[in-house]
Structures are given as C-alpha cells and as structure tokens.
Amino acid sequence: MNRRHCATAAITLVCALALLTAPVQAMAAPIPEPTPTATAPDAPAPPKKSLEEVREEIDTLYRKAGAATDAYNLAEEQSKKQSGEIARLTKTIADGQAKIAELKDRAGAQAREQYRNGGLPPGAQLMLSGDPDLFMDGVNQVRQDQQATKGMLTELEQAQEDLETYTKDAGLNWKKIEAGRVKQAKAKKSIDAQIAAAEKLESQLATEEQARLLQMEKDAASTAQAAWLSSGALRDINREASAAGKQALAFATAQMGKPYVWGAEGPGSYDCSGLTSQAWAAAKRPIPRTSQEQWRQLPRIPVQDMRPGDLIIYHSDASHVGMYVGDGSIVHAPRPGRHVTLAGAGSMRILGVVRPDK
C-alpha cells in the first residue's frame, strides 16, 4: 500500500511539473486591428478647372437649355393650335347634332302625316281621289315630296358621317395635346436641370472670379466679332430695312433691358425667339414661335444680302436667334441671367439668315 501510494504521488508531481513547464496558450483578449495613422496619405484631390473651362461648360449648359426651350415652346405652340382646333370641332359637333335632330324631326313629321292619311302612300291616295285634275297636280307634288325626302335622308346620312369624323378628329387632337404635354414636361425638366447646373457653377466662383468670367465672355464675343468683320462680311451689307422691318426693329429695340426668361414672349421678359416672334407680330407679319421653326419655315437669304429686321439664326442646331439692326450688330435676348441687349452679329457662330417679309 505504501509503495502504491508513493507511485501515485510521484505521477501527480510529474503532471504538475509538466503543466508548469508547458508553453503558455494565447488565452488573452485579441489584439485590436491597427488604426490608420494621421500620417497616412490622403487620396489626391481632383484638379481644379480653369476659369476658361468653367466658362465653356457654362456656355454649353445654357446652349443645351436654349435647345430644350425651343422644344418646349414648339410643344406649347402646337398644343395651342390643337386646343383651338378642338374648340372648333366641338362647335361643329354641336351644330351637327342639332342638324341631325332637326332632320329627324322632319322625318317624324312626314311619318305622322302619312299616318293621318290612313297609312296609304301618296300615289294610292291620288288614285282614290277620282279627280283627274287633282291627280295630275298631285303627281308633281308627290315627285317633289319624294325628291325632298330622298334629299333629306341623304343629308341625314352625310350629317351622321360628318359627325363621326369630327368626333374622331377631336379625339386625335386630344391625344396630340397629351403627347405635347409630355414633351413639355420633359423639356422643362431638361431646361431646369441645365440652368441649375450652370447657376451652381457660377455660384461656386468667388466674386472676383465671377467678374473675370463676365469679362472673358465679353472678350470671347469681341474676338469672334472682330474675326467676322475682318472676313469682309459687311463689305456689301448696306441695305435699308423694309417698312415692316423697321416696325419689327423698333419693337425689338424698345425691349432692351428686359430680362431673359425661358419660354417668355413679353411683355415683361423674353427668350430669344419670343423677342423676334413678338417683334414681327407687332409689324403685322406673324412668324413661327421658335428659332428652329423660324429657320425651317422662313425664306433664307445670303448673309451678304441681309438688311435690318432680318433674323440671324445661330449654332448648328438653330437654338438661338437675334434680329439684325445694321452696322454689324443684333438685338437679342442672350440667356438666363442676362437682359435684352445689343451684340455683335458675328459674336456667335452664324448658321444663316432668314427674312420674314420676303
């Protein structure tokens, strides 16, 4: 027993020594992940745009807004025409319905008259009269009545067909108006977005940068005008305005100082084509509402043949228009944030010239 007890004690001591001398296991709390130090390099900031790049970007945004304004104005003009057509058709439909009711009343009167005569046709009534003179006179009357009845039925049939056509046309115009409203909403969204982006770019500039930006715009316009004049563009341009052109020009120049507002056509503000269309309306020569439609529909003339009152269309998409006043200048409504003013006719890229009273 003592030997067994000693052996057990020895084993226990060996195990204890083994535990004490064994490598320590990692039972401590986990080591936290290293945090970035303040000296870690930051991502490089994007390069700042030059003022010239900002100017070009703003100019592009306003040009896109101008094109969208043309789309909006065209949709609005078409909606006005279609609304007028619907009003006309509505009256025509009402007149047609009244006409059909009147024809049906006449047909009913004839039916009632025949009923009162015993339901006999007119020819049978004459045969039973026994009076030869009455018979001969009655034959002519019957023929006239038959022709009148036939004409009335034909008129009734035509009136019903016309009514169906007018109703169909009115429905088509309503669909066009709804499509126009969708176009207007889309164009308005685009206009607002472009103008907001341009205004945001301008607002981010310091006061002195805004002043420099305005000067850069003037310098760019002057450079373009000088290049246009040096090309000899005015060499043969010395014609006088027509009587209507003088009236249009007097109206346009009288609006100088009024603000540009997209979609506006007076009297307190204008966009570019709103100014030119109202000026020629004052001269009793209505023209299309938008610069693109003015370019598409009005007679075109060579630049060297233009005279005061003619319209100069700008940019490849015909998105801007001004009125030539003579001596190489135009009057126009430039863009949002600007006012109706005079400018060099060659300060922008000329697409062509149109004459409203040719």
Side-chain angles (χ1 to χ4, degrees):
M1 292 293 293
N2 288 336
R3 189 176 297 172
R4 186 180 300 171
H5 179 74
C6 290
T8 301
I11 292 171
T12 301
L13 180 60
V14 170
C15 291
L17 290 173
L19 286 172
L20 290 173
T21 58
V24 177
Q25 299 296 319
M27 302 299 292
I31 298 174
E33 293 288 333
T35 57
T37 63
T39 57
D42 296 329
K48 185 179 180 180
K49 293 180 181 179
S50 68
L51 200 57
E52 176 60 25
E53 289 174 326
V54 172
R55 187 190 71 80
E56 290 178 356
E57 187 173 350
I58 289 173
D59 184 60
T60 298
L61 287 168
Y62 279 127
R63 279 186 54 194
K64 288 181 178 179
T69 298
D70 247 22
Y72 178 93
N73 290 336
L74 180 59
E76 183 178 46
E77 185 179 34
Q78 290 173 339
S79 292
K80 287 180 180 177
K81 288 180 179 179
Q82 286 150 4
S83 295
E85 181 65 13
I86 285 176
R88 185 189 69 80
L89 287 170
T90 299
K91 184 180 183 306
T92 304
I93 288 170
D95 292 343
Q97 289 172 333
K99 184 176 183 180
I100 289 172
E102 188 266 334
L103 289 170
K104 287 182 177 180
D105 285 344
R106 285 167 53 189
Q110 288 186 355
R112 290 191 295 272
E113 179 64 25
Q114 185 175 350
Y115 177 78
R116 283 194 294 268
N117 291 327
L120 293 175
Q125 296 173 22
L126 290 173
M127 291 295 294
L128 294 174
S129 67
D131 186 337
D133 293 333
L134 180 60
F135 178 81
M136 294 304 298
D137 292 340
V139 167
N140 292 329
Q141 184 63 44
V142 168
R143 287 175 179 170
Q144 292 175 9
D145 291 344
Q146 288 174 339
Q147 288 295 325
T149 300
K150 183 178 180 181
M152 182 185 66
L153 293 175
T154 301
E155 190 177 358
L156 178 60
E157 183 179 354
Q158 185 61 52
Q160 289 173 329
E161 289 179 1
D162 290 345
L163 187 60
E164 291 177 3
T165 300
Y166 297 145
T167 302
K168 182 178 179 180
D169 289 346
L172 290 174
N173 275 280
W174 273 118
K175 289 182 180 178
K176 289 178 181 178
I177 286 177
E178 288 304 314
R181 286 174 181 165
V182 171
K183 288 180 181 178
Q184 281 183 276
K186 184 177 180 180
K188 183 181 186 303
K189 185 177 180 181
S190 175
I191 294 165
D192 291 340
Q194 304 293 347
I195 292 176
E199 290 176 343
K200 182 179 179 180
L201 280 174
E202 288 187 271
S203 68
Q204 291 173 341
L205 299 174
T207 303
E208 61 273 15
E209 288 179 316
Q210 291 180 3
R212 284 175 54 204
L213 182 68
L214 181 59
Q215 187 59 49
M216 289 172 69
E217 289 179 2
K218 293 178 179 178
D219 292 344
S222 297
T223 300
Q225 175 74 352
W228 183 67
L229 293 175
S230 64
S231 69
L234 286 182
R235 188 175 299 120
D236 298 321
I237 301 178
N238 55 5
R239 295 166 180 78
E240 290 189 4
S242 64
K246 290 178 180 178
Q247 288 181 308
L249 194 55
F251 179 95
T253 52
Q255 312 312 309
M256 289 175 57
K258 294 183 179 180
Y260 177 106
V261 174
W262 71 264
E265 46 188 334
S269 58
Y270 296 87
D271 62 19
C272 65
S273 57
L275 177 66
T276 54
S277 61
Q278 288 301 305
W280 274 99
K284 304 297 188 293
R285 293 295 184 98
I287 63 174
R289 168 64 177 86
T290 70
S291 59
Q292 291 175 343
E293 288 300 297
Q294 290 168 6
W295 174 244
R296 189 175 71 87
Q297 296 185 34
L298 296 178
R300 300 177 186 179
I301 61 169
V303 173
Q304 64 269 21
D305 292 337
M306 70 179 175
R307 66 191 184 196
D310 289 342
L311 305 182
I312 304 180
I313 309 297
Y314 293 96
H315 309 309
S316 59
D317 58 358
S319 58
H320 191 70
V321 60
M323 181 179 291
Y324 187 60
V325 300
D327 296 326
S329 297
I330 60 168
V331 58
H332 73 145
R335 65 165 177 82
R338 301 290 186 262
H339 297 75
V340 177
T341 187
L342 293 177
S347 59
M348 296 168 284
R349 182 182 174 186
I350 295 175
L351 178 62
V353 180
V354 295
R355 179 167 293 166
D357 60 339
K358 184 175 180 181

